[in-house]
Amino acid sequence: MRDHDEAGLRPAVREEAAMSLRAFFSTVVGGLVLLTVVSATLLVVLTTALERMASTLSESVEGVRQAEELEVDLLVHSRLLTSPGSPMVADPSRGRSPPQLEADLRRQLLEMHAIASTQEERQTVAEVQQQVFAYLAAQHAPLGPGMTQAQHDTSAMSSLDAALRSLERLIEINVDQAQTARQSAAHWSEMADVLGLLLGLLLLATLGLVVFWLRRFALRPVTELRSAMAGFGRGGRHLRAPEEGPLEIRDMARTFNEMADSLTHQQEQQLAFLAGVAHDLRNPLSALKLSTALTNRGEVTPERMQRTLSLVRRQVARLDRMVGDLLDATRIEAGKLELQPEVRDTRELARSVVELYQSSDSGHTLELVVPDAAVLVRADPSRLEQVLNNLVSNALKYSPSGSRVEVAVRGDGDHVVLAVADQGIGMSPEELQGLFIPFQRAGNAKQRAPGVGLGLSVSRRIIEAHGGRIEVESQPGQGSVFRVHLARVSAGPPRLPAPSDEEEAPAKEDSGEDSGAVH
């Protein structure tokens, strides 16, 4: 036991550093949830960035396409208007006439305005629009006085060249945007690869740590606990489980160790009980054997026979009490204690017990204190008398000769209190803690009177079976007071046994003698 206690102290020192399985799995689940949230957030950010870059690439490509298409339409328009012979011939590639080309040019300019995303691009589109409109205005302007056709064409071509240069610059802007978006997409792709690799490694490391922790700090203590339980079941009463690992497993190991200690202690108590019963049974049997042997020696006088029979009666009564306590304890543990409750007056039950012990001439002053009115309870009268007999007998045995023992009955509201007070040896607080435990007796009680330590245990179980309780107050050298609390019956006449021929005299309560002490 000492080794186990010292072993139990070491885990207690590390109690603060231990983690419960609930906390561990909460931490693991929280970490996985956090990892999932981070991964989802990074995925959303990456997807958004790639979508934005894809949109930029799409807009850049569309801007380049529109700029090139506008260049082609401007060149076709210029060629159609400057072709010799038939200036208004339709576009042979698409069947468009110059007015249709001009309408397409205006539409394309509006679309270029709509998809322009940067300030520089919008400014360049505005310059292209201004120069295209200047070109169209120059083409449709009539020849002024003194202006030749060549001068007219040169002015239109100058505006056309400026528009084409602006369109080239617009194409360069879109190409630059596309290259920038492509480089950003490549950077984000590399970053996604690195983050994915890191998150995967982190997940694997977390799973590895979880498996290691479970194998090292959870599975090993469980295996040792199982081994200790199996060994204990095979008869290894000294085996105990190490109180290590998570808090739940520690609690299981501690509970098992406490159960093992309790079972071992109970086994030791049972062995001590058997030894005590054998010893206590030997004493009255030895007395009976000696008494029968004395009757066979010499002449047997009436006085000698009377003393022998008295001794035999006492020893037989002692054996009967011991066997009765053992039987009652066995019935109680087996759950077969049978009660036959009746509505009875506790004053009569207490009076019968007091009269029994008054007739035994114990050398004590035995007093009975009862109220004038009936105090009814619903109980098994024989069992309740058994409890009172045990309490009064103990009070007499553990009190000095000539001291006073009081048996009192009191109605307290809905409860009935039966109290037995003595002026005996008393008990310490430590002795009171094990007072109602079977087979346990205080050290001074063992020296004062023989017994197996079952009377009070049986009495408490009987009272608890009636729905009541037993309380005790005691101090060493100042005596003890035992109080039995039972539910009170407030209606109905008491059920009293039929009086015998010798009890036809008027009841004592009519004369008022029961309101005081009975000596």
Side-chain angles (χ1 to χ4, degrees), residues 446-502:
K446 295 178 181 179
Q447 300 171 2
R448 291 294 298 264
V452 294
L454 285 175
L456 288 178
S457 174
V458 171
S459 298
R460 185 186 68 170
R461 298 294 291 271
I462 290 174
I463 295 302
E464 289 178 349
H466 285 83
R469 70 182 191 277
I470 294 182
E471 296 177 349
V472 57
E473 294 181 3
S474 183
Q475 292 183 2
Q478 299 184 14
S480 305
V481 179
F482 287 82
R483 295 185 180 90
V484 175
H485 296 262
L486 294 171
R488 184 173 183 177
V489 177
S490 58
R495 181 178 176 181
L496 300 177
S500 61
D501 294 338
E502 298 177 354

Side-chain angles (χ1 to χ4, degrees), residues 67 70 109 112-113 116 118-132 162-174 177:
L70 185 60
L109 288 172
M112 292 174 66
H113 273 293
T118 64
Q119 183 66 25
E120 182 181 9
E121 188 176 1
R122 286 191 288 270
Q123 290 178 356
T124 305
V125 171
E127 293 177 1
V128 170
Q129 182 179 3
Q130 181 181 3
Q131 291 162 358
V132 169
L164 293 176
R165 287 195 296 271
S166 297
L167 286 173
E168 289 295 330
R169 188 165 63 254
L170 182 61
I171 291 174
E172 292 177 358
I173 292 173
N174 283 279
Q177 290 179 354

Side-chain angles (χ1 to χ4, degrees), residues 160-421:
L160 178 62
D161 291 339
L164 293 176
R165 287 195 296 271
S166 297
L167 286 173
E168 289 295 330
R169 188 165 63 254
L170 182 61
I171 291 174
E172 292 177 358
I173 292 173
N174 283 279
V175 170
D176 291 340
Q177 290 179 354
Q179 290 179 350
T180 302
R182 181 176 175 276
Q183 292 175 358
S184 298
H187 175 71
W188 278 97
S189 179
E190 294 177 358
M191 184 180 297
D193 294 338
V194 173
L195 291 176
L197 181 60
L198 290 177
L199 290 175
L201 293 176
L202 182 59
L203 180 60
L204 290 177
T206 301
L207 293 178
L209 288 176
V210 170
V211 173
F212 171 77
W213 191 91
L214 288 176
R215 289 178 59 87
R216 175 66 177 82
F217 297 101
L219 295 181
R220 185 177 61 84
V222 169
T223 303
E224 294 178 351
L225 174 61
R226 181 184 61 81
S227 300
M229 295 172 68
F232 187 84
R234 289 192 296 266
R237 299 300 180 184
H238 65 284
L239 294 177
R240 299 293 183 269
E243 297 180 12
E244 299 176 351
L247 293 179
E248 291 84 355
I249 299 178
R250 284 192 179 190
D251 291 340
M252 292 172 60
R254 185 180 299 111
T255 301
F256 167 73
N257 292 336
E258 292 175 355
M259 180 197 68
D261 292 339
S262 177
L263 290 177
T264 303
H265 182 61
Q266 288 182 7
Q267 187 180 31
E268 295 173 353
Q269 281 186 329
Q270 289 175 358
L271 294 176
F273 161 69
L274 292 176
V277 169
H279 179 269
D280 290 334
L281 288 176
R282 179 179 296 175
N283 291 334
L285 290 176
S286 299
L288 290 174
K289 183 178 179 181
L290 179 60
S291 300
T292 55
L294 290 175
T295 59
N296 294 327
R297 296 180 183 178
E299 182 180 356
V300 179
T301 63
E303 295 80 7
R304 187 174 185 179
M305 180 60 71
Q306 188 66 29
R307 289 195 301 269
T308 302
L309 291 177
S310 178
L311 177 61
V312 169
R313 282 195 299 269
R314 289 197 301 271
Q315 299 305 325
V316 169
R318 180 178 171 188
L319 286 174
D320 182 67
R321 286 196 302 272
M322 294 173 61
V323 174
D325 288 342
L326 290 173
L327 290 176
D328 287 337
T330 304
R331 293 192 188 99
I332 290 173
E333 292 300 326
K336 296 181 179 180
L337 179 64
E338 296 181 357
L339 299 178
Q340 297 178 355
E342 301 175 3
V343 178
R344 300 295 294 270
D345 189 351
T346 54
R347 300 179 304 168
E348 297 301 327
L349 298 176
R351 180 180 293 109
S352 63
V353 173
V354 170
E355 290 176 351
L356 173 65
Y357 283 96
Q358 280 180 339
S359 63
S360 64
D361 192 15
S362 61
H364 297 77
T365 302
L366 190 59
E367 298 180 356
L368 175 64
V369 180
V370 294
D372 295 334
V375 183
L376 305 180
V377 294
R378 184 174 182 81
D380 188 328
S382 61
R383 291 296 182 180
L384 191 54
E385 285 188 2
Q386 178 183 351
V387 173
L388 291 176
N389 280 327
N390 182 268
L391 296 180
V392 174
S393 175
N394 287 342
L396 297 175
K397 284 190 294 185
Y398 301 119
S399 299
S401 179
S403 62
R404 183 174 60 89
V405 175
E406 179 184 277
V407 179
V409 176
R410 184 178 71 252
D412 186 12
D414 295 335
H415 293 83
V416 176
V417 180
L418 297 99
V420 177

Side-chain angles (χ1 to χ4, degrees), residues 91-103:
D91 178 12
S93 62
R94 299 184 183 179
R96 294 179 298 176
S97 62
Q100 292 175 340
L101 280 173
E102 293 177 3

